[in-house]
Amino acid sequence: MSGSASNLLQLWYIPSTKLFIRTSMLPKTKGLFPEARKQVNAPSMFFCRNLQTTTYEVVKGSYVPVTQTKSETANEEKTPRKLESVGAFQRLPMVKPSVDILYSALRQAKKISPTKGIVNIAKRERNRGARQLDALTKELGIPLREYLENFPNKKYLHHYERSLIELTLGDGKYEEVLGRVNALKKKVVSVGKEHASLCAKSTTKREAEERLSEGMKKLEAIFKLEAKAVDDLLNIAKVCNYPFTTRGILMGHITVNYQRFQVTDTPGLLRRCDDDRNNLEKLTLAVLSHLPTAVLYVHDLTGECGTSPSNQYIIYKEVRERFSNHLWVDVVSKCDLLQKSPVDNITEDGDEDSLEMARYRKAGPEGAILVSVKTETGLDELKSRVHDMLISQLDKLKSESASPES
């Protein structure tokens, strides 16, 4: 790739039998207000706060409280939740722009008519006003609630996806935006309930109309004021849906022996310490560190990629040693442009590192496949080696999952 020393092609297995299904034991109900819910014959789950209790013992005919230690109450804490598997951000809900949510909600609310059969004009108008304000509150609140329920909690994310959002968004940005969306939802519900209640208590037709208008304007103003939280969440959804928007990392899928593998074409690494790396380089290292990858490492020794073969050699040795536990295939690209001349000024009596460097500059690491898209040299061998590597990777993952320690 232009401007990069080398390219890392990461491949990892995605079990085709895993389904990500959200289930609930609660009956499905529409709306935000408990008084509007209907009873449904469905399993129920009940929640209660921990009761504050005190243990007593009898001392000389009197009840004396016994202090409970922290160790005794530790068992009452919930079992820690397990980390999610990779793919949490591929199951995000579709986030609408704030302006679409607002104007769709206003249109739907204004369609609401009063309950049939109310003869009194004042009662009919206050009924219509309360119903429209209730509808507007729901139309604004329900999308926000769905976003909050379906965006994953950062602390339970897979390590790779946690690194992804920290590097692309900045540390703390994800939680901050979700917090603002939650605050907006609470405010919409609170104000909507308040104005719907006021409208329902109107004594005249005119008063009901005025309170309806006031409530509509208030809800619209509140939503517009905090609408950026929704638009920021929309941007996060685009960024975190990483197969399309990680700004330089390309991803796709291939199938081998009816098994699906994800392929990630990551940017090359430059010769510098980790603290000085840019976010794309850090994402490359995050893939290697946190995902069960097999590596196809591409070397460009033509001198046209922006990094010298000598620097590429140093980078390669560091990465290869650092991630030695990964299955690995080395590829030298554009081999039709490499010179066929022997290595100059190096003899077998030379320094071992110098000899290895010279061999690398000529044909890459030992065992590397030399390929050329232009002449189609080495392409069939590359396909065969990748196929074998993926089968080995699959066997490795199955073995690891079957071991008691995994």
Side-chain angles (χ1 to χ4, degrees):
M1 278 191 166
S2 176
S4 63
S6 55
N7 230 39
L8 291 177
L9 196 64
Q10 322 285 347
L11 306 101
W12 68 89
Y13 171 58
I14 300 178
S16 58
T17 56
K18 281 192 176 179
L19 296 177
F20 299 95
I21 302 175
R22 295 181 179 273
T23 59
S24 174
M25 294 293 290
L26 294 174
K28 295 183 178 179
T29 56
K30 295 183 178 180
L32 298 173
F33 308 117
E35 59 266 24
R37 296 176 181 170
K38 296 180 180 179
Q39 291 184 342
V40 180
N41 290 326
S44 299
M45 185 180 294
F46 297 90
F47 300 87
C48 65
R49 295 181 181 274
N50 289 335
L51 297 177
Q52 186 174 356
T53 59
T54 306
T55 304
Y56 293 86
E57 62 179 352
V58 179
V59 179
K60 295 182 179 180
S62 301
Y63 290 100
V64 178
V66 178
T67 305
Q68 233 178 344
T69 63
K70 290 184 178 179
S71 59
E72 291 174 321
T73 58
N75 293 331
E76 298 176 5
E77 296 181 0
K78 294 181 180 179
T79 304
R81 179 177 164 184
K82 293 183 179 180
L83 295 180
E84 295 197 30
S85 57
V86 176
F89 285 125
Q90 293 175 314
R91 305 189 298 276
L92 293 179
M94 181 181 293
V95 180
K96 297 180 182 178
S98 61
V99 66
D100 290 355
I101 295 175
L102 176 59
Y103 290 113
S104 172
L106 288 169
R107 283 195 306 270
Q108 294 300 319
K110 290 175 181 178
K111 292 179 182 178
I112 301 298
S113 57
T115 303
K116 293 182 179 180
I118 301 178
V119 178
N120 184 280
I121 295 177
K123 288 183 179 179
R124 186 166 63 244
E125 193 59 33
R126 73 188 186 196
N127 176 269
R128 181 178 73 90
R131 283 165 57 86
Q132 287 193 2
L133 288 169
D134 183 32
L136 180 58
T137 302
K138 291 175 182 177
E139 292 292 332
L140 293 175
I142 287 175
L144 303 181
R145 184 187 65 193
E146 290 177 350
Y147 301 155
L148 292 167
E149 289 175 350
N150 290 288
F151 271 75
N153 189 320
K154 178 184 166 184
K155 67 180 180 180
Y156 299 128
L157 285 173
H158 187 278
H159 297 297
Y160 170 67
E161 290 181 319
R162 197 182 307 166
S163 299
L164 175 73
I165 62 172
E166 289 173 354
L167 292 170
T168 54
L169 302 177
D171 194 20
K173 178 68 174 179
Y174 180 78
E175 304 95 306
E176 183 258 331
V177 170
L178 286 176
R180 285 161 49 209
V181 172
N182 188 40
L184 175 57
K185 179 187 77 75
K186 289 180 178 178
K187 200 164 187 178
V188 164
V189 172
S190 174
V191 172
K193 279 186 174 183
E194 178 186 353
H195 282 270
S197 177
L198 286 173
C199 193
K201 294 175 183 177
S202 302
T203 56
T204 65
K205 179 177 180 291
R206 181 175 179 178
E207 184 182 15
E209 290 173 341
E210 289 175 351
R211 287 182 173 178
L212 170 60
S213 177
E214 180 185 352
M216 288 282 193
K217 289 178 181 178
K218 184 70 173 178
L219 280 170
E220 183 177 354
I222 288 172
F223 195 87
K224 283 183 176 179
L225 185 64
E226 303 296 334
K228 191 175 184 301
V230 179
D231 295 326
D232 286 346
L233 192 66
L234 172 60
N235 183 57
I236 286 177
K238 290 178 181 179
V239 170
C240 290
N241 192 5
Y242 52 84
F244 306 101
T245 56
T246 43
R247 303 170 190 173
I249 290 184
L250 304 177
M251 303 185 80
H253 296 90
I254 59 175
T255 301
V256 176
N257 285 13
Y258 305 103
Q259 300 293 342
R260 191 169 178 234
F261 293 84
Q262 186 157 314
V263 183
T264 307
D265 182 7
T266 58
L269 301 173
L270 299 179
R271 185 184 174 185
R272 51 188 171 189
C273 64
D274 285 352
D275 290 340
D276 295 331
R277 297 196 185 283
N278 61 36
N279 285 353
L280 284 176
E281 290 179 283
K282 290 177 180 178
L283 280 173
T284 296
L285 294 177
V287 170
L288 283 165
S289 301
H290 301 308
L291 295 176
T293 56
V295 180
L296 183 68
Y297 196 106
V298 182
H299 309 256
D300 184 345
L301 306 180
T302 62
E304 298 178 352
C305 70
T307 302
S308 68
S310 299
N311 277 340
Q312 288 189 55
Y313 170 76
I314 294 170
I315 296 166
Y316 168 73
K317 284 196 68 176
E318 177 190 340
V319 174
R320 189 71 178 92
E321 182 178 347
R322 187 169 173 178
F323 301 103
S324 58
N325 59 323
H326 292 310
L327 297 180
W328 200 285
V329 170
D330 289 300
V331 176
V332 176
S333 65
K334 308 175 189 175
C335 69
D336 56 297
L337 300 180
L338 299 180
Q339 294 181 354
K340 303 294 184 180
S341 59
V343 179
D344 297 331
N345 303 322
I346 296 293
T347 66
E348 292 301 321
D349 296 328
D351 179 76
E352 185 176 346
D353 288 340
S354 299
L355 284 170
E356 191 175 351
M357 170 78 79
R359 295 190 189 101
Y360 176 86
R361 291 170 64 91
K362 181 180 179 182
E366 184 178 354
I369 306 171
L370 274 65
V371 301
S372 169
V373 175
K374 183 177 181 179
T375 64
E376 299 187 355
T377 302
L379 295 184
D380 288 339
E381 182 185 358
L382 175 60
K383 293 176 184 177
S384 176
R385 288 278 293 277
V386 169
H387 177 275
D388 293 344
M389 180 172 65
L390 292 178
I391 298 301
S392 298
Q393 176 75 349
L394 182 58
D395 292 340
K396 179 182 176 184
L397 294 176
K398 286 181 177 179
S399 175
E400 290 175 352
S401 64
S403 65
E405 296 180 358
S406 61

